[in-house]
Amino acid sequence: MTDTTMGGGSTRRVGVIRTIAVKELREIFRDGRFAWAAAIVAVLLIAALTTGAARFADYRAMQEAAQAQSNDQFYTQGDKNPHSGAHYGNYAFKSQGPLSLFDGGVENYAGSFVFMEAHRQNAALAPPAGDLSAISRFGDLNGAMILQILMPLLIIFLGFAAFAGEREKGTLRQLLSIGVSRQALLWGKALGIGAAVALVLIPCILVGAVVIAALQIAPSGDAFGARLGLLALAYAGYGLIFLFLTLAVSALASSPRTALIIMVGFWAFCVFLMPKAAGEVSKALHPSPPLGVFQTSMQETRVKGLGGPPPRARLEIYRKQLLKKYGVERTADLPIYWVSTMMQKLEEMDHEVFDHFYNGLRDDYLAQRRTQDTLGALAPVLPLSSISMGLSGTDLNHQNAFTAAAEKHRRMMVFKVNNYLSEMAVGFNANQALTGNVSLETNVLVAKEEVFKMVPPFHYDPPSLGDVMREYGFSFGVLIAWLLGSIVVAVVAVGRLRPQTR
């Protein structure tokens, strides 16, 4: 008997919540302002997804063509000294994942390719923002921007009068008087408003999916479906945060107008003020050097050395170690070409300097981003933005992984040509002529084009989903804390709901 009663009570509560949700949804649809607001959001979201997909497809085609042409130029550069071939160099182009059409992240402001050459570690070049108009640089119209900025505004617009409006019209007292619980009202209204928002966004996302399918943009990277699912959960959680906070404020506010003003102010604080303030705070706490100072300091350190003896002194120590290793008295008697071996040793000493400066710069930027994520305790858009860029493969970590892969390839390229030269030109130590697949022209080894094909094409593997989750676990935690906190606030606020103003 008790079980039946309990089961009946639970079924009744679910029925009441469903009825309230249907009523809320019906009233939303009857409001002509909803149609206009929904249409604006839908048009912008569809435009962002479709134009982003077309732009991505064009960019990927140009990028693949440029990489193929650069590789071909490197492999067919002609007969020349192998080390000169390393100076001729090659380009590494960053491949974008398909989710970059949804969230461009830092892609527009970070370099899209790296020139790889002997003796120099170059920064990524040609950020796309350099080709944009002044107005375009204020923000890129993409799906992430629409959802981060306009979705909360749509939710606020739909929910600010949920309780305050009922109280003002006198219907709230009637609902409570017939036995409808406050919590049933909360969950019913949340379900109705959430359904209205979903009915606007889901068709738009489906249209974007159809466009992507039509453009034949194949998924790249690992766990594409899991990334999509996590993105959907993150944005759903973000929307629910604003939904429950809006319902809480509506329950406590004296009038719908007051609720609207409070929530619009909170929205503006979150999406406009806090991102800018967090950026400035993070730069103040973890300053990064200006480009000119960075490059000058790095060049001076290359000349002086990174602690210990200067490079030329270290080179002399290394030369003596080689003589001892091979049991000879003179450089001319070494079984390897000293000049090439020396150049490779200088490269390796430069590696220490490059790693010191570039890793330090990356650490500064990483500390800035993590500070911004910590400040996400004040605005949920901050952790969401980091999660969105990370899952889309457009964050600073992916950019760093690309430049690190390009530098690894550059070092491998230089080592291979120097090692080839060291072995094949050993006769130059004593100024002796060589035979075989090389020729002697004024003490310069000339390698055939086939020699450069020992260097494989550049390949970049982006960070895995596991890497992303480890890096942004804290951001997920902050977003979940916001969601749980907003639900608690809404439950408490509705629990104190008054049927009329005093």
Side-chain angles (χ1 to χ4, degrees):
M1 185 72 176
T2 304
D3 291 342
T4 304
T5 304
M6 290 178 63
S10 177
T11 302
R12 181 177 178 277
R13 282 194 294 273
V14 172
V16 171
I17 291 173
R18 185 187 303 114
T19 300
I20 295 171
V22 172
K23 170 185 172 293
E24 192 73 21
L25 193 59
R26 189 178 293 122
E27 289 183 354
I28 288 173
F29 285 159
R30 287 174 180 171
D31 190 341
R33 292 172 297 180
F34 167 71
W36 283 104
I40 291 172
V41 173
V43 168
L44 287 175
L45 186 56
I46 291 174
L49 292 174
T50 53
T51 57
R55 184 170 61 246
F56 170 81
D58 291 341
Y59 180 82
R60 174 178 278 187
M62 288 189 296
Q63 181 188 64
E64 290 176 350
Q67 186 68 75
Q69 182 180 8
S70 180
N71 290 341
D72 182 66
Q73 289 174 342
F74 178 76
Y75 292 135
T76 61
Q77 57 183 289
D79 298 348
K80 62 177 62 174
N81 181 277
H83 190 78
S84 297
H87 277 287
Y88 183 84
N90 195 1
Y91 286 92
F93 289 85
K94 183 184 179 186
S95 58
Q96 289 184 335
L99 289 177
S100 63
L101 66 88
F102 169 74
D103 190 340
V106 302
E107 294 288 316
N108 278 341
Y109 309 98
S112 55
F113 63 87
V114 174
F115 180 54
M116 302 175 294
E117 59 177 328
H119 303 304
R120 291 178 62 88
Q121 178 175 348
N122 294 311
L125 304 171
D131 297 326
L132 298 177
S133 65
I135 294 179
S136 299
R137 296 177 196 177
F138 284 101
D140 186 27
L141 180 65
N142 54 44
M145 187 271 281
I146 299 298
L147 294 182
Q148 290 174 19
I149 296 179
L150 295 186
M151 180 177 68
L153 198 58
L154 176 63
I155 292 171
I156 292 170
F157 176 77
L158 297 179
F160 75 94
F163 292 108
E166 296 271 17
R167 183 191 298 115
E168 191 173 67
K169 290 184 293 186
T171 55
L172 181 59
R173 176 186 289 275
Q174 297 175 10
L175 288 170
L176 296 176
S177 66
I178 61 175
V180 177
S181 70
R182 288 170 169 79
Q183 298 308 315
L185 280 173
L186 169 64
W187 294 109
K189 287 181 177 293
L191 183 60
I193 297 170
V197 175
L199 288 173
V200 175
L201 299 182
I202 291 177
C204 299
I205 294 171
L206 292 176
V207 170
V210 170
V211 172
I212 293 172
L215 291 173
Q216 298 181 343
I217 299 176
S220 64
D222 69 315
F224 180 76
R227 288 173 184 259
L228 278 177
L230 288 169
L231 271 175
L233 287 175
Y235 277 93
Y238 178 68
L240 289 173
I241 290 168
F242 275 90
L243 173 57
F244 283 108
L245 289 179
T246 300
L247 292 175
V249 171
S250 182
L252 297 175
S254 58
S255 68
R257 181 178 179 180
T258 301
L260 180 61
I261 292 173
I262 292 173
M263 284 310 301
V264 169
F266 176 71
W267 166 80
F269 170 80
C270 284
V271 302
F272 293 118
L273 179 60
M274 271 307 298
K276 190 69 176 174
E280 295 301 323
V281 169
S282 66
K283 283 189 242 182
L285 294 177
H286 307 283
S288 54
L291 179 60
V293 173
F294 174 81
Q295 292 178 333
T296 300
S297 298
M298 184 167 61
Q299 184 58 34
E300 290 176 351
T301 304
R302 288 181 66 193
V303 175
K304 298 177 181 178
L306 194 64
R312 291 297 171 182
R314 291 178 62 187
L315 198 60
E316 179 59 22
I317 295 171
Y318 176 65
R319 188 184 72 86
K320 292 178 179 178
Q321 290 173 344
L322 281 180
L323 293 175
K324 183 178 180 180
K325 174 182 176 181
Y326 290 106
V328 295
E329 298 292 332
R330 303 181 306 156
T331 304
D333 296 327
L334 285 171
I336 54 176
Y337 184 32
W338 165 245
V339 174
S340 178
T341 306
M342 175 188 66
M343 288 189 294
Q344 180 60 33
K345 187 62 178 178
L346 287 172
E347 280 278 350
E348 293 169 4
M349 285 190 279
D350 282 342
H351 295 171
E352 300 171 5
V353 177
F354 294 149
D355 289 344
H356 173 77
F357 279 89
Y358 280 103
N359 290 344
L361 189 63
R362 289 175 187 138
D363 289 344
D364 289 340
Y365 289 148
L366 182 60
Q368 290 176 9
R369 201 222 73 219
R370 287 177 175 171
T371 298
Q372 293 174 31
D373 288 350
T374 301
L375 292 173
L378 302 177
V381 74
L382 295 176
L384 174 70
S385 178
S386 292
I387 292 169
S388 180
M389 288 189 292
L391 291 172
S392 299
T394 57
D395 63 336
L396 191 60
N397 280 5
H398 280 74
Q399 181 69 17
N400 288 339
F402 161 67
T403 55
E407 176 59 12
K408 181 179 179 181
H409 186 89
R410 184 194 75 84
R411 294 180 184 184
M412 178 268 297
M413 173 186 74
V414 175
F415 172 79
K416 280 184 175 293
V417 296
N418 281 342
N419 188 61
Y420 174 84
L421 183 59
S422 176
E423 294 177 354
M424 299 301 295
V426 63
F428 286 167
N429 285 329
N431 199 25
Q432 297 172 352
L434 300 177
T435 59
N437 189 37
V438 295
S439 62
L440 179 60
E441 295 179 3
T442 318
N443 223 36
V444 174
L445 178 73
V446 177
K448 303 299 182 183
E449 286 184 353
E450 290 76 14
V451 171
F452 298 111
K453 292 182 180 178
M454 72 174 74
V455 181
F458 171 75
H459 178 72
Y460 162 61
D461 287 319
S464 67
L465 178 59
D467 295 331
V468 173
M469 295 303 294
R470 281 189 290 273
E471 179 60 35
Y472 294 105
F474 178 79
S475 298
F476 272 102
V478 172
L479 198 63
I480 292 171
W482 262 103
L483 176 58
L484 295 177
S486 66
I487 293 174
V488 170
V489 169
V491 169
V492 172
V494 173
R496 301 174 58 187
L497 183 65
R498 300 189 303 271
Q500 63 184 18
T501 58
R502 294 178 182 176

